[in-house]
Amino acid sequence: MRYLVTGGAGFIGSHLVEHLVGEGHDVVVLDDFSTGKRENLEALQKQIEIIDGEVSIWTSFGKNGDTFRRNDLPSEAHLAVIGERRNAAVTPLSTPGRYALPRAAWQRFSPRRIARGVARRARAAARRLRALLHASRRPAASVPPAPAPESGRGAMRRWAQNVALLPWYDRDDWQESIARLRQSGDVGESDVPILVRWCEDGYVVVPGLVPADLIDAFVREIDDVWEHDTAIDGLAVSDVQLDAGYRVHVPHGELVRIERAKRQEIKQRSNWRIGQYHLYSRAARRIFDHPEIERIASTIFARRGEARFSLMFSKGTEQGLHQDTCVFHIFPRDFMMGVWIACEDITHESGPLEYYPGSQRTPLFPEFSNYPQTNRRTSDPEQSKRYDQYVVNLAKGFEKHELLIKKGDVMFWHPMLIHGGCPRLDRAATRKSFVLHVIAEGCDMGGQVTGPFNW
Ligand SMILES: O=C(O)CCC(=O)C(=O)O
């Protein structure tokens, strides 16, 4: 079950949180930190969601567009007021009201349990400290060695191609790693199936992760791009079929000068998309910053992940097969992921995303031997063709799947998972999606590689 614990950063509240997490529940903490302490939740912060706010905003949960709206949460209801301490309470998020936490659970919340919890936290803190000290003594194990530059004309960095730098999920001992993460408390029970699926198949779909009302707001704001007459500074719409012909990018200022009816015509006939839309739209930003997306990504990386790029697609892309590792410059390799958010129910006719489970375990294209410098973005035309053919051949060894998911469902995929866009059987059908590329902190080397670039 999913619980809200108000006052969850206080002494009692944080132990209640620990108890609930220990029982395998999802927990959201609401605390204004006037008396509660962040340190009380430190050992659990990867397993819970923390909202810094006041209990009084509870009444605002139902207000349309409120930041704290939680339509996606289950409707089962439990609320406990702990003794007379009304600042520590637990409830599911969708049903305001007074309910009772099952007595058995509350009764198990004893001083001895509290003492054990405190000891567990101290051990976790000591473990983290030891890991930090260990990392600082042995930089090669956790910090990528500085790549040595080559000398001479056109000098390029040499990047270490060391398998020891790959993320835990790319190694053969991933099952042991999951057991370790679980034991250390860095991974909650409910995340284990996500990690297993990720390691086995190279992707995981989380149903209903983004609430329908947020998706609706996002789609409305996209429609506004075509309907409103006021230019949005800096925004460009890409892949647009103007009367004068195809344009890769059309500044919004130019688009709004076209007569409205004509604009709609252009919208219908183009397979348009918008890059980095989160910089211009409130709803897109909220999806981009979605705490649960970030939490799942960070859990998978076992380090902090951050959404860096976004792409809004209006229709099927029919993109050729590729792996995102070969499109981005990530070091150490594979510390990134794609996140595909369905903004409507996806149909076979619209040209869904196609992907090949298990293909994330195939070797990197051998010609990209100085990755992240050498990849599809920096390859010459002949090499690009060879890479494209390499991936097509690899995919033949795996079963093709189509991503037929529902509005609000989210797919997370491994950067080596082979994927692309199926043919659009119905050319008029939309396939609205918002795609994020999430990268582990410090691993985006886009600014450190040299061109020329293909895009
Ligand atoms: O949605 C699609 O068809 C392709 C998305 C994709 O491959 C990507 O953004 O990496």
Side-chain angles (χ1 to χ4, degrees):
M1 184 167 303
R2 191 162 167 81
Y3 286 99
L4 170 73
V5 179
T6 54
F11 182 74
I12 290 185
S14 60
H15 284 92
L16 181 56
V17 172
E18 187 173 286
H19 169 81
L20 291 168
V21 169
E23 298 259 298
H25 298 294
D26 285 339
V27 179
V28 178
V29 167
L30 175 64
D31 202 298
D32 66 357
F33 295 96
S34 54
T35 56
K37 293 191 177 63
R38 287 184 197 277
E39 304 92 88
N40 288 342
L41 297 172
E42 212 182 325
L44 294 165
Q45 61 186 357
K46 287 197 177 146
Q47 290 154 270
I48 59 176
E49 184 182 340
I50 301 174
I51 298 172
D52 188 342
E54 291 176 31
V55 176
S56 57
I57 58 126
W58 174 240
T59 50
S60 69
F61 276 16
K63 284 188 201 154
N64 201 10
D66 190 283
T67 326
F68 296 102
R69 193 168 160 84
R70 290 284 188 279
N71 276 357
D72 53 332
L73 293 162
S75 57
E76 302 93 308
H78 292 280
L79 178 144
V81 176
I82 309 293
E84 292 306 303
R85 298 275 311 238
R86 285 171 194 278
N87 61 342
V90 57
T91 183
L93 289 163
S94 53
T95 317
R98 293 172 61 88
Y99 302 87
L101 183 74
R103 269 190 86 69
W106 164 232
Q107 280 162 349
R108 286 202 299 275
F109 190 62
S110 65
R112 190 182 298 167
R113 276 192 148 242
I114 292 175
R116 276 207 304 267
V118 171
R120 204 161 38 240
R121 277 178 213 191
R123 282 198 301 275
R127 248 195 323 270
R128 272 199 302 281
L129 188 63
R130 272 200 305 277
L132 265 174
L133 288 172
H134 183 69
S136 63
R137 273 193 233 112
R138 298 187 50 197
S142 56
V143 180
E150 278 180 352
S151 55
R153 200 162 157 264
M156 244 176 224
R157 282 182 169 194
R158 293 297 320 168
W159 295 83
Q161 306 296 312
N162 183 352
V163 288
L165 297 174
L166 291 175
W168 67 270
Y169 44 77
D170 279 359
R171 309 204 197 136
D172 292 338
D173 63 351
W174 60 266
Q175 275 154 320
E176 283 95 321
S177 297
I178 293 180
R180 266 195 305 275
L181 289 166
R182 202 170 174 177
Q183 206 177 16
S184 67
D186 286 341
V187 163
E189 285 307 303
S190 56
D191 287 327
V192 170
I194 292 181
L195 297 184
V196 171
R197 193 78 203 261
W198 175 267
C199 292
E200 283 178 345
D201 295 337
Y203 78 98
V204 62
V205 173
V206 181
L209 189 62
V210 179
D213 64 341
L214 181 50
I215 299 275
D216 291 342
F218 174 79
V219 170
R220 262 196 315 274
E221 290 189 27
I222 287 163
D223 288 339
D224 286 351
V225 167
W226 291 90
E227 279 156 27
H228 281 195
D229 294 330
T230 313
I232 302 172
D233 205 22
L235 178 73
V237 181
S238 307
D239 293 341
V240 182
Q241 293 288 347
L242 296 176
D243 282 352
Y246 168 80
R247 288 267 298 280
V248 181
H249 303 298
V250 178
H252 192 237
E254 186 180 332
L255 205 62
V256 296
R257 284 200 296 277
I258 300 171
E259 189 256 320
R260 263 196 194 187
K262 169 61 71 185
R263 234 185 282 160
Q264 287 305 319
E265 226 180 81
I266 294 169
K267 180 185 177 193
Q268 303 309 332
R269 71 176 177 229
S270 304
N271 190 352
W272 54 277
R273 66 193 162 88
I274 301 177
Q276 302 293 72
Y277 189 50
H278 64 279
L279 300 177
Y280 307 95
S281 144
R282 191 163 170 266
R285 183 88 223 182
R286 285 176 65 198
I287 301 176
F288 190 83
D289 289 337
H290 197 293
E292 191 57 9
I293 292 179
E294 189 183 303
R295 192 193 68 78
I296 292 174
S298 303
T299 302
I300 291 174
F301 293 143
R303 52 206 273 184
R304 207 175 98 75
E306 38 189 20
R308 297 290 299 264
F309 304 98
S310 78
L311 273 168
M312 179 273 147
F313 295 109
S314 62
K315 294 179 184 154
T317 63
E318 300 186 310
Q319 263 188 44
L321 295 181
H322 64 281
Q323 300 144 310
D324 289 346
T325 293
C326 300
V327 173
F328 288 83
H329 307 274
I330 306 300
F331 191 85
R333 220 190 82 192
D334 293 349
F335 271 109
M336 77 162 290
M337 68 178 64
V339 179
W340 205 99
I341 300 141
C343 299
E344 62 185 318
D345 294 355
I346 307 300
T347 63
H348 169 68
E349 290 70 32
S350 67
L353 186 83
E354 63 176 284
Y355 58 98
Y356 296 78
S359 60
Q360 81 282 4
R361 297 223 169 257
T362 52
L364 182 70
F365 181 50
E367 292 183 38
F368 294 159
S369 57
N370 192 24
Y371 184 86
Q373 169 60 49
T374 51
N375 72 351
R376 182 66 172 75
R377 186 163 170 251
T378 54
S379 53
D380 64 44
E382 285 309 311
Q383 194 178 43
S384 297
K385 269 195 225 151
R386 288 196 294 276
Y387 168 73
D388 295 347
Q389 193 53 51
Y390 172 78
V391 182
V392 168
N393 287 340
L394 278 184
K396 288 181 186 149
F398 298 88
E399 196 182 324
K400 173 180 159 177
H401 284 222
E402 293 183 6
L403 188 66
L404 301 176
I405 56 176
K406 301 276 180 216
K407 175 170 146 183
D409 294 353
V410 177
M411 180 206 204
F412 296 80
W413 78 88
H414 185 290
M416 285 291 281
L417 186 80
I418 297 174
H419 65 284
C422 287
R424 289 161 55 211
L425 303 179
D426 175 353
R427 307 299 291 177
T430 59
R431 196 207 68 174
K432 292 176 203 144
S433 63
F434 193 42
V435 177
L436 312 180
H437 287 103
V438 180
I439 301 178
E441 206 171 20
C443 296
D444 181 5
M445 298 298 147
Q448 298 193 35
V449 296
T450 51
F453 300 111
N454 294 326
W455 59 83

